[in-house]
Amino acid sequence: MKSDLIKFPLGFWTGLQQLGIAPHDAARKAGLPLAVITQSPAVTPAQYFKIWQAYSDLAGGPAAAIIKLVTVFETTQYPPSVLATYHARDYRDALHRMSRYKQLCPPESLRLTEEGEHCTIKLEWKRSEQPGPPVLAGTTLAFLLELGRRGTGQPIAARSVEFAHPMDDVQALEAYFGCPVRVGAAANRLTLHRTDLDRPFISYNRELLEMLTPVLDRTLDEQLSRSIPETVKWILKRSLAGGGLDIQTVASELGLSDRTLQRRLTDEGTSFKRLLTQVRHEQAREYLTDPSLDIKEVAFLVGYEDQNSFYRAFRHWEGDTPAHWRTEYWEANPPS
C-alpha cells in the first residue's frame, strides 16, 4: 500500500558522508538503484531495511554504526518531525512528541510508559512478520537518549537497554548508553530514569514549535484520520502541568482560531471544557496509581493549583476522595 512506503530523509545520506561512507556504496550494497539517493523516492519497508543493513556492514557492525551515526549526525539535518522534538519544553515533552510523530514513519512505532521511577520506551515494528535489522533498532533507541542529552545539555544515562537481536559489541553500547545492555530480549526497549524527563531543554524554542506543530499535526491527522477531539486531548495531556490549558493556546497549536476549534468540536458532539475534564480525570486516575506521587503532586500534575479544587473535582468524577480511591486501587493492585 502507498502508506507503507518510506521516504529517506536527505539528512541520512549527509550523515553517511560525514562518517566517510559514500551513499552510492550503501545503495549498491543494498542492491538498490542510485535513484534512492539522487531522487529520494519512496522505498518499501524491505528496501528501507536493506539500506540500514548495508550501512551497518559498511560501518563495521551494528554497535559501531549505531554510535557513529547518532553522535555525528548534526541537529541541522533533522527532518521537521524530529526538529519539533529537539525544541520541546523538556525531555518528557520531547519524548511524547517523538512517540506521536514516529507514526509518520511506517516501519516503526514507539510505546512510552511511565511507571514508578522509570520511563520505558518500547520499539515496535508495524509489520511484525518483518522486523527491522539490529542497527535500526539500536539507532532508534540511541537517538532517543541522544535527544535528551542534546536537548538538556546533560550527560543523561539510561537505566537499562534491551535488544531483541544479538549485538556485536555490547561493551561499546554499554559505554554509550551508560547502563547495562541486554541482548536476546523479548523486545527492543530503552528504560530511562523518570526524574530525567523533567529536565528542561536548553534548545526550547516556542516560536518554532508554534510554526511546526500545526503543520505536523495536520499531516499526521490526515494520515491517521485522527479526530479533532483526540488531537486536542493529546495536546492537553502534555500541557496539564505546565499551563496552556485555555482554548486559545490549544487552537494556536493546531493553527486554528478558537472559534473554529470550538465549532469543530461542537460538530463532533463535544466541547473544549468537556475534553479538558476528561483529560484531567483520566490523568488523575493514572497518577494516583503511582506510589511515588503524593496527592498534592497529582493535583498539580493535572492542572490544579488549589488542592481543594482537585478534591472536589475528583469526588464529582468518582464519588470518592482521591486518598480512598488510591487505597482501594492499591489493595486490588499492590505496588511492587
Side-chain angles (χ1 to χ4, degrees):
M1 295 190 299
K2 184 177 180 181
S3 60
D4 284 338
L5 297 178
I6 306 147
K7 194 167 185 178
F8 256 99
L10 293 175
F12 174 80
W13 304 112
T14 304
L16 295 196
Q17 288 178 321
Q18 290 175 329
L19 294 174
I21 296 174
H24 63 263
D25 286 342
R28 286 198 186 99
K29 192 167 185 64
L32 298 176
L34 297 183
V36 297
I37 305 165
T38 57
Q39 299 176 20
S40 191
V43 297
T44 66
Q47 292 171 328
Y48 184 72
F49 293 157
K50 284 181 180 178
I51 293 173
W52 276 99
Q53 186 59 55
Y55 160 60
S56 178
D57 294 341
L58 292 169
I66 292 164
I67 297 167
K68 287 177 181 178
L69 189 60
V70 296
T71 53
V72 169
F73 203 92
E74 295 180 2
T75 307
T76 53
Q77 298 293 340
Y78 291 164
S81 58
V82 179
L83 204 58
T85 67
Y86 177 69
H87 293 296
R89 289 189 304 274
D90 52 35
Y91 197 9
R92 176 180 283 105
D93 184 26
L95 289 172
H96 277 286
R97 287 176 183 272
M98 181 61 75
S99 177
R100 175 168 169 76
Y101 297 137
K102 260 294 179 186
Q103 296 176 87
L104 291 167
C105 184
E108 54 195 306
S109 64
L110 301 172
R111 186 181 299 275
L112 193 150
T113 306
E114 292 187 51
E115 186 174 351
E117 298 177 353
H118 312 131
C119 171
T120 300
I121 305 148
K122 181 181 178 184
L123 170 64
E124 297 176 336
W125 305 112
K126 292 190 177 181
R127 287 187 165 193
S128 57
E129 75 277 6
Q130 189 183 26
V135 64
L136 179 54
T139 300
T140 300
L141 298 187
F143 174 75
L144 295 174
L145 182 61
E146 188 72 19
L147 176 66
R149 288 173 174 173
R150 295 191 188 191
T152 64
Q154 299 293 321
I156 294 173
R159 183 179 182 274
S160 65
V161 178
E162 300 168 86
F163 291 118
H165 298 285
M167 288 288 182
D168 60 331
D169 192 344
V170 173
Q171 191 172 3
L173 290 170
E174 289 182 335
Y176 173 78
F177 284 103
C179 69
V181 171
R182 179 186 167 204
V183 297
N188 297 296
R189 292 190 189 91
L190 169 69
T191 301
L192 301 167
H193 298 281
R194 197 173 181 183
T195 52
D196 285 331
L197 271 59
D198 297 319
R199 294 180 184 270
F201 267 26
I202 57 177
S203 52
Y204 174 48
N205 187 323
R206 179 179 175 181
E207 291 76 16
L208 186 60
L209 286 178
E210 287 177 349
M211 288 189 294
L212 288 176
T213 302
V215 176
L216 291 170
D217 283 347
R218 279 197 297 272
T219 301
L220 185 60
D221 290 342
E222 289 169 4
Q223 182 168 314
L224 303 178
S225 300
R226 184 186 294 275
S227 69
I228 282 290
E230 288 175 316
T231 305
V232 169
K233 287 181 70 174
W234 176 81
I235 293 172
L236 288 172
K237 281 185 178 181
R238 63 174 172 76
S239 305
L240 280 179
L245 297 178
D246 57 272
I247 190 169
Q248 291 83 5
T249 302
V250 175
S252 176
E253 278 213 40
L254 291 170
L256 304 172
S257 70
D258 54 315
R259 287 186 178 182
T260 299
L261 175 57
Q262 189 59 68
R263 184 174 66 250
R264 293 182 66 174
L265 291 175
T266 300
D267 291 343
E268 295 279 352
T270 189
S271 68
F272 181 83
K273 185 176 180 180
R274 186 180 303 171
L275 293 176
L276 176 58
T277 299
Q278 288 175 5
V279 167
R280 281 176 159 165
H281 185 189
E282 292 168 9
Q283 293 299 99
R285 286 174 58 99
E286 181 178 333
Y287 287 133
L288 284 170
T289 65
D290 185 347
S292 69
L293 297 173
D294 62 36
I295 293 176
K296 186 176 181 179
E297 287 177 292
V298 173
F300 170 76
L301 288 170
V302 296
Y304 288 93
E305 294 182 5
D306 175 19
Q307 191 172 341
N308 290 330
S309 297
F310 172 62
Y311 268 78
R312 287 193 296 271
F314 196 85
R315 267 190 171 279
H316 177 72
W317 300 330
E318 295 288 341
D320 202 355
T321 65
H324 190 256
W325 186 93
R326 166 178 265 180
T327 299
E328 289 198 331
Y329 176 87
W330 285 350
E331 287 175 355
N333 306 274
S336 55

